[in-house]
């Protein structure tokens, strides 16, 4: 952890596990290091990054005018799969926020991520900017091997990939805009609208509703994103030669390659990205996914699948 933290402080990149997906980290105060994230990912420079911190005590370093409801959310759900978008402080440079006057902040819930962030803070670091550790537009990695497959060709010899096993949640954090009087969900995830309402007493606006801040750019909200090379079809009957992802109660038709058979929603989210990756590994041209119904994590899963089905 100390070595990895020192690497970040020296301007290197460190990919690390979180409970959602693996992130590609750089010192959030070092413009050159952050610029390398963009080139390694092939990501447009105006897409903002999430700053990861070791505990909510660090929120004040990065944010100004944090509303009371955002403090409730931080208390209730950090460390956890939730990113708060707040007014930025002077510490949050344009090179992290994509030039916006807000910044996304998250305390991840994974022992390796927290160990890294604590070691980084102890060595004088303020925060680690990290997007998901995939090339722009493709499926987020949920294992260290997947990070290596995505980015190995683009990383330097001094960069590190920390292996913390498979991510337990499997889909990216819920992003909540906390810059107006009511929270607004910009990207659905493991922290659901019901949980937000319970914590804050406020009914959050959802991502489909008219945005309070139309200028906000959420790259994960681009229509085409989270997509494997295979073409993804939703809620149709799979035919021979295709891959298939569906709840375990569904049978696999003859000649179809079953890629995942989750027993519940948690397993569906956890296994989804590795199953999409497996389709590409096996060279399948087409994958059929039967989407889970209902609320909670199912909303996040359908959000990602909608975009995956639009292709790259
Ligand atoms: O679970 C996660 O959030 C993972 C792990 C590594 O923490 N990170 C992640 O980062 O998914 P990324 O960059 O792949 O997606 C973060 C999303 C982007 O779509 C970005 O546009 C949005 O967060 N975002 C970051 N800062 C923002 C801001 N100030 N305003 C609006 N959206 C923001
Ligand atoms: Mg991403």
């Amino acid at each position: 952890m100390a070595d990895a933290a020192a690497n970040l402080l020296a301007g290197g990149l460190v990919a690390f596990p979180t409970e959602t997906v693996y992130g590609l980290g750089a010192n959030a105060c070092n413009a050159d290091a952050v610029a390398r994230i963009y080139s390694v990912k092939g990501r447009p420079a105006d897409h903002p990054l999430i700053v990861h911190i070791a505990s909510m005590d660090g929120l004040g370093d990065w944010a100004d005018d944090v509303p009371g409801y955002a403090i409730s959310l931080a208390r209730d759900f950090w460390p956890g799969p939730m990113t708060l978008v707040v007014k930025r402080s002077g510490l949050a440079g344009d090179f992290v926020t994509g030039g916006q006057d807000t910044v996304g902040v998250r305390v991840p819930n994974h022992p390796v991520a927290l160990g890294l962030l604590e070691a980084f803070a102890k060595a004088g670091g303020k925060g680690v900017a990290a997007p998901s550790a995939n090339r722009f537009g493709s499926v987020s990695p949920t294992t260290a091997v997947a990070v290596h497959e995505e980015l190995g060709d683009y990383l330097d010899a001094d960069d590190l990939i920390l292996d913390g096993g498979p991510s337990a949640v499997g889909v990216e954090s819920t992003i909540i805009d906390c810059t107006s009087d009511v929270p607004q969900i910009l990207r659905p995830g493991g922290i659901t609208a019901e949980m937000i309402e319970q914590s804050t007493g406020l009914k959050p606006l959802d991502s489909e509703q008219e945005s309070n801040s139309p200028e906000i750019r959420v790259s994960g909200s681009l229509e085409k994103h989270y997509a494997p090379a295979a073409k993804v079809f939703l809620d149709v009957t799979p035919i021979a030669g295709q891959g298939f992802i569906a709840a375990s109660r569904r049978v696999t038709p003859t000649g179809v390659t079953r890629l995942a058979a989750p027993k519940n929603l948690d397993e569906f989210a956890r296994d989804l990205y590795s199953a999409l990756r497996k389709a590409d590994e096996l060279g399948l041209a087409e994958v059929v996914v039967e989407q889970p119904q209902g609320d909670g994590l199912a909303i996040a899963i359908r959000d990602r699948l909608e975009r995956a089905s639009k292709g790259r």
Side-chain angles (χ1 to χ4, degrees):
M1 291 303 169
D3 288 352
N7 202 48
L8 286 171
L9 279 171
L13 301 184
V14 177
F16 59 95
T18 83
E19 81 280 29
T20 58
V21 301
Y22 275 65
L24 176 64
N27 180 356
C29 296
N30 181 333
D32 293 334
V34 170
R36 279 200 57 227
I37 290 181
Y38 286 89
S39 69
V40 167
K41 271 189 68 98
R43 175 166 168 159
D46 62 349
H47 286 291
L49 300 174
I50 296 170
V51 175
H52 296 71
I53 55 177
S55 83
M56 72 177 281
D57 298 342
L59 181 60
D61 289 342
W62 292 96
D64 276 342
D65 301 334
V66 180
Y69 70 78
I71 304 285
S72 306
L73 291 168
R75 281 218 184 91
D76 287 347
F77 303 125
W78 277 348
M82 177 183 76
T83 297
L84 300 181
V85 170
V86 287
K87 285 224 176 62
R88 70 168 166 180
S89 72
L91 193 60
D94 284 342
F95 55 90
V96 168
T97 70
Q100 304 189 70
D101 60 0
T102 58
V103 61
V105 183
R106 173 161 115 84
V107 181
N109 187 17
H110 189 291
V112 174
L114 288 171
L116 175 67
L117 293 169
E118 277 155 18
F120 183 70
K122 223 168 130 192
K126 292 283 188 193
V128 174
S132 53
N134 51 279
R135 295 281 290 168
F136 185 66
S138 75
V139 179
S140 299
T142 53
T143 64
V145 169
V147 174
H148 189 260
E149 283 164 5
E150 281 281 326
L151 303 180
D153 289 346
Y154 304 92
L155 292 172
D156 284 351
D158 290 341
D159 299 328
L160 297 173
I161 300 174
L162 304 183
D163 190 346
S167 297
V169 176
V171 294
E172 301 82 355
S173 62
T174 305
I175 301 180
I176 308 170
D177 178 2
C178 301
T179 58
S180 49
D181 11 324
V182 183
Q184 176 166 21
I185 299 175
L186 299 179
R187 179 177 71 183
I191 302 299
T192 63
E194 297 72 47
M195 294 162 82
I196 294 168
E197 185 171 355
Q198 204 151 54
S199 167
T200 64
L202 298 167
K203 211 175 180 57
L205 303 174
D206 68 32
S207 44
E208 262 81 73
Q209 276 163 296
E210 196 57 33
S211 172
N212 299 318
S213 329
E215 75 282 5
I216 281 185
R217 291 179 293 267
V218 184
S219 74
S221 71
L222 292 178
E223 251 205 359
K224 297 177 182 181
H225 219 81
Y226 311 108
K231 190 150 180 33
V232 176
F233 297 92
L234 303 178
D235 303 323
V236 296
T237 305
I239 55 171
Q242 293 179 324
F244 186 39
I245 299 171
S248 58
R249 63 178 180 282
R250 289 281 174 256
V251 295
T252 310
T254 312
V256 167
T257 304
R258 190 61 172 261
L259 298 164
K263 290 191 283 300
N264 53 49
L265 271 183
D266 286 349
E267 280 191 21
F268 208 121
R270 189 193 66 194
D271 297 345
L272 177 62
Y273 288 161
S274 58
L276 291 174
R277 252 170 219 292
K278 198 161 152 199
D280 288 350
E281 272 163 42
L282 296 174
L284 297 173
E286 299 179 342
V287 184
V288 171
V289 187
E290 185 180 314
Q291 301 189 92
Q293 297 306 302
D295 292 342
L297 212 41
I299 294 175
I301 294 169
R302 292 197 301 269
D303 171 76
R304 305 309 191 274
L305 283 171
E306 248 341 288
R307 298 179 208 286
S309 72
K310 303 268 163 55
R312 279 208 194 141

